[in-house]
Amino acid sequence: MTENSDSCKYVIRQISVFSENKPGRLSAIAKGLEEADVNIYAFSIAESKGFGVVRLIVDKSTAALKKLADIGFMVSYTDVIGIKMEDRPGGLYETASILGDAGINIEYAYAYSGRNGAVLIIRVDDVTSAVKKLLAAGKELIKAEECL
Amino acid sequence: MPVDELRKLQYKLMKTLVYRLYSFSPFYHDRMKDAGVHPDDIRSLADVKKLPFMYKKDLRDNYPNKMFTASTDELVRYHVSSGTTGKPTVVGYTQKDLDVWTESLARSLTSCGIGRGDVMQVSYGYGLFTGGLGLHYGAEKVGATVVPASVGSTEKQITLIQDLNVTAIACTPSYLNHISDVAEKMGVSIKNDTSLRVAVLGAEPWTAGMRDRIQERLGIRAHNIFGTSEISGPMFTDCAEQKGIHIWGDIAYTEVIDSETGENLPDGESGELVVTVLQKEAMPMIRYRVGDITSLDTSVCPCGCTHPRISRLTGRVDDMLIIRGINVFPSQVEHCLMQIPEISGQNYMIIVTRDGSLDSMRVQVELRKEFFSDKIDDLLEIRKKVAYELKNALNVSVDVELTAPDSLPRFEGKAKRVIDRRVL
Ligand SMILES: [Zn+2]
């Protein structure tokens, strides 16, 4: 197995959804996913004046993407990394400095409470290198297949 | 001047103009030939209706100077206004053209009682737009002292009105309302704390009701001014009687027509304004379809003046919008959006509102799927780009709203892409 395909295991498919800041958009997303029998694990919204991007980590990403596109949302996949957070102070700072030292830029991050403790989702400009650096530094990453 | 003498003079000037254009303007020569009209066919003012019209589109098709009947070394100035699509309208002026323009406006300002001893703040935009420079020279001509304030820095404008004892102001009605609002916030009452007594307002539609409110609130006389760059610029106002705008008959020949049939309408009937500027050298316009809706009144004004009058403009025959005094055509917006790959140019909506007293224009555009990013900064960058391009094309700041593909209304038949929520 090559190093590359190895790091692939740790790349999670996030679903990114464009949403106008109008009432009812979020509930339309939630309703659509429920109809498609998709479970939402993590969820974050980045908002600006007039519009926002909803980011979702789900159990069935293909079904979720199809359903949301079918009901008229603009959607795309985004590769992200999930890091198990140790329950001690400084964990987030450590992760940021590992990547920072390697010159990898964190575009955004959000946390959620997973089955086995807190998970930090990060979006970086170079996913493969980030996975390698984090593993080398002894961080525990979420595998795509176990996806939570 | 008695009415029949005025009409004799108009006929003489019209005849000279028609011969001039037939001889020197290949464009109008061809148009007359196509219409089967020869200058000799114009034997009285009643024959003017035989002459073919000129349109704003003609100016665009002949961009920038193919309609000019003066050589470049005779030109002393250009003004540029927005066209219906990407190309602007360029107007050239000889010295005589500027003199006639200034003379027309000077007469108008005099009829509003503005002259020596007045201090006039010109708060129209200076530059390519005709408002600022037009009023500037007109006011100087009548002997007023001009404060060339242009648009913006409202607090400073209010300070100048107080400190320089400004008695007259020229601007858009909505800008004057804005000035009053800002003045109130500064603790200044235009009515009680300044010498302002008269305003010359125009470049956007406004109602008699709005005039009354302004007069009451500010304790001034508010006069209505008309003109567009194609005929030189702002040239005509109502007089002290405030009973319609006098169109000086020796300067322009005015008609009001039925837009559909092109037939002349009698006095008092509402239709499209058609103007022939009788003494223009660089870019004469014969029977120019201005596009504004008004009615004609050829009766003698209570002020004793025999020159015909037009009523307050009530709208447009086309879809032109006037945003903070600037003409905006939806087709310009479309043309601009079409050049931006990140968005769909065909589907857009224009929403115009009035926040307080200033117009604000919002354009909703659909983001193209290929350019959707999960990073909000990328999307903000696209929005910024669209706003920048629109501002560049329209000379008006625009609020841009990104929307998802296929989210904006689709139209069968004539698209209604403009929602104008302004209440005049
Ligand atoms: Zn009068």
Side-chain angles (χ1 to χ4, degrees):
Chain A
M1 249 201 192
T2 68
E3 237 184 3
N4 247 349
S5 61
D6 202 33
S7 45
C8 269
K9 288 193 300 198
Y10 299 101
V11 176
I12 300 171
R13 282 209 298 195
Q14 168 192 281
I15 294 189
S16 309
V17 191
F18 180 87
S19 171
E20 290 107 1
N21 291 356
K22 286 196 289 213
R25 302 309 283 159
L26 280 181
S27 60
I29 293 174
K31 184 164 171 279
L33 294 182
E34 197 185 315
E35 281 167 10
D37 199 23
V38 170
N39 288 314
I40 303 171
Y41 290 126
F43 170 91
S44 103
I45 310 172
E47 265 182 308
S48 171
K49 211 179 122 202
F51 66 90
V53 179
V54 179
R55 295 142 181 173
L56 302 155
I57 306 291
V58 298
D59 56 352
K60 285 169 270 182
S61 58
T62 315
L65 187 100
K66 186 177 178 307
K67 177 70 188 184
L68 292 174
D70 283 350
I71 59 174
F73 281 97
M74 180 156 53
V75 280
S76 68
Y77 289 128
T78 310
D79 290 341
V80 296
I81 303 166
I83 307 161
K84 280 194 182 149
M85 298 296 285
E86 292 128 272
D87 192 15
R88 59 177 174 81
L92 180 60
Y93 169 72
E94 239 176 66
T95 301
S97 56
I98 292 164
L99 295 173
D101 290 347
I104 297 166
N105 187 32
I106 301 182
E107 306 276 5
Y108 56 79
Y110 52 98
Y112 76 96
S113 192
R115 197 180 302 150
N116 306 307
V119 176
L120 181 72
I121 300 288
I122 59 167
R123 158 78 150 103
V124 292
D125 44 13
D126 181 350
V127 187
T128 313
S129 311
V131 167
K132 275 187 244 165
K133 294 288 176 194
L134 290 167
L135 289 173
K139 290 281 165 193
E140 200 180 332
L141 302 185
I142 307 289
K143 287 200 186 80
E145 80 238 17
E146 68 181 329
C147 200
L148 332 151
Chain B
M1 192 185 281
V3 178
D4 50 341
E5 258 179 62
L6 181 62
R7 291 186 64 84
K8 252 182 233 164
L9 176 61
Q10 284 190 308
Y11 171 66
K12 207 181 117 227
L13 291 167
M14 179 67 85
K15 186 97 181 163
T16 311
L17 179 72
V18 172
Y19 269 109
R20 179 180 158 80
L21 251 70
Y22 192 77
S23 315
F24 298 112
S25 163
F27 166 81
Y28 204 68
H29 181 96
D30 290 349
R31 184 154 290 182
M32 280 177 72
K33 281 227 144 150
D34 290 346
V37 192
H38 187 271
D40 291 340
D41 298 335
I42 311 303
R43 297 198 183 88
S44 71
L45 279 181
D47 290 331
V48 169
K49 61 174 184 287
K50 294 179 184 164
L51 291 165
F53 294 113
M54 288 170 88
Y55 301 86
K56 191 164 177 83
K57 182 180 178 298
D58 297 331
L59 296 167
R60 184 182 72 213
D61 293 346
N62 290 282
Y63 177 87
N65 58 1
K66 288 200 271 300
M67 300 260 283
F68 289 7
T69 49
S71 62
T72 309
D73 54 348
E74 292 174 281
L75 298 182
V76 293
R77 199 194 293 167
Y78 288 119
H79 276 288
V80 180
S81 71
S82 45
T84 46
T85 57
K87 275 186 190 156
T89 300
V90 178
V91 182
Y93 301 78
T94 64
Q95 186 56 53
K96 192 191 162 210
D97 290 338
L98 291 182
D99 292 346
V100 170
W101 177 14
T102 301
E103 165 64 24
S104 175
L105 199 45
R107 271 193 232 167
S108 300
L109 294 177
T110 304
S111 79
C112 300
I114 297 168
R116 192 165 298 277
D118 275 309
V119 180
M120 177 176 258
Q121 186 142 315
V122 177
S123 304
Y124 279 119
Y126 277 68
L128 293 173
F129 174 58
T130 50
L133 286 170
L135 265 301
H136 182 103
Y137 288 108
E140 281 188 356
K141 175 94 176 172
V142 297
T145 311
V146 174
V147 183
S150 198
V151 186
S153 310
T154 306
E155 294 193 2
K156 190 169 149 200
Q157 299 226 10
I158 293 159
T159 307
L160 291 175
I161 290 172
Q162 285 192 288
D163 295 351
L164 300 178
N165 293 316
V166 169
T167 58
I169 189 166
C171 58
T172 62
S174 53
Y175 192 59
L176 185 58
N177 277 325
H178 183 64
I179 286 178
S180 329
D181 292 346
V182 174
E184 251 165 44
K185 281 190 198 114
M186 291 164 69
V188 177
S189 155
I190 299 278
K191 192 172 190 166
N192 301 319
D193 306 333
T194 74
S195 309
L196 197 72
R197 61 172 194 84
V198 59
V200 178
L201 308 175
E204 68 185 17
W206 59 308
T207 59
M210 195 195 253
R211 176 193 65 200
D212 296 344
R213 279 203 302 281
I214 289 172
Q215 296 196 145
E216 172 70 19
R217 181 184 183 191
L218 306 188
I220 61 168
R221 294 290 280 175
H223 290 285
N224 193 6
I225 186 165
F226 167 75
T228 173
S229 67
E230 295 88 334
I231 64 163
S232 278
M235 293 179 106
F236 309 107
T237 67
D238 53 12
C239 65
E241 299 286 338
Q242 294 186 321
K243 291 200 165 67
I245 293 170
H246 283 282
I247 308 282
W248 309 117
D250 54 328
I251 288 173
Y253 181 74
T254 316
E255 299 166 82
V256 171
I257 61 158
D258 179 322
S259 284
E260 305 289 320
T261 64
E263 297 293 324
N264 284 74
L265 292 173
D267 271 27
E269 266 187 47
S270 204
E272 182 179 356
L273 179 63
V274 173
V275 174
T276 301
V277 185
L278 295 167
Q279 303 187 40
K280 215 150 177 288
E281 291 184 334
M283 204 185 86
M285 303 295 286
I286 288 182
R287 302 195 85 201
Y288 178 62
R289 308 265 302 237
V290 182
D292 291 311
I293 297 168
T294 184
S295 64
L296 197 60
D297 185 350
T298 52
S299 68
V300 177
C301 179
C303 75
C305 175
T306 53
H307 295 261
R309 285 167 290 152
I310 53 167
S311 66
R312 195 169 278 275
L313 309 180
T314 55
R316 296 278 310 171
V317 294
D318 54 21
D319 52 5
M320 189 181 90
L321 292 163
I322 302 173
I323 311 289
R324 278 170 254 144
I326 307 284
N327 298 349
V328 172
F329 288 92
S331 53
Q332 276 178 286
V333 173
E334 182 165 319
H335 183 84
C336 173
L337 296 178
M338 290 291 210
Q339 321 293 317
I340 305 171
E342 289 90 341
I343 54 160
S344 142
Q346 295 96 26
N347 297 301
Y348 61 91
M349 288 297 289
I350 298 170
I351 295 147
V352 189
T353 51
R354 186 159 281 170
D355 305 337
S357 49
L358 288 186
D359 297 335
S360 115
M361 178 170 160
R362 192 162 91 238
V363 176
Q364 298 176 319
V365 294
E366 288 182 358
L367 187 64
R368 275 189 201 278
K369 207 176 175 311
E370 311 88 271
F371 292 94
F372 170 52
S373 164
D374 62 306
K375 289 185 266 176
I376 207 110
D377 284 350
D378 293 347
L379 300 176
L380 287 174
E381 204 50 50
I382 293 173
R383 198 181 69 173
K384 208 168 114 192
K385 177 179 174 181
V386 177
Y388 174 82
E389 295 295 340
L390 284 171
K391 161 96 206 220
N392 236 356
L394 311 175
N395 291 317
V396 170
S397 294
V398 174
D399 217 5
V400 172
E401 203 175 296
L402 291 184
T403 70
D406 304 323
S407 63
L408 295 176
R410 297 301 194 261
F411 299 95
E412 284 171 28
K414 193 168 162 48
K416 275 191 144 53
R417 302 201 182 280
V418 179
I419 300 173
D420 197 338
R421 297 208 181 106
R422 288 176 293 187
V423 181
L424 291 182

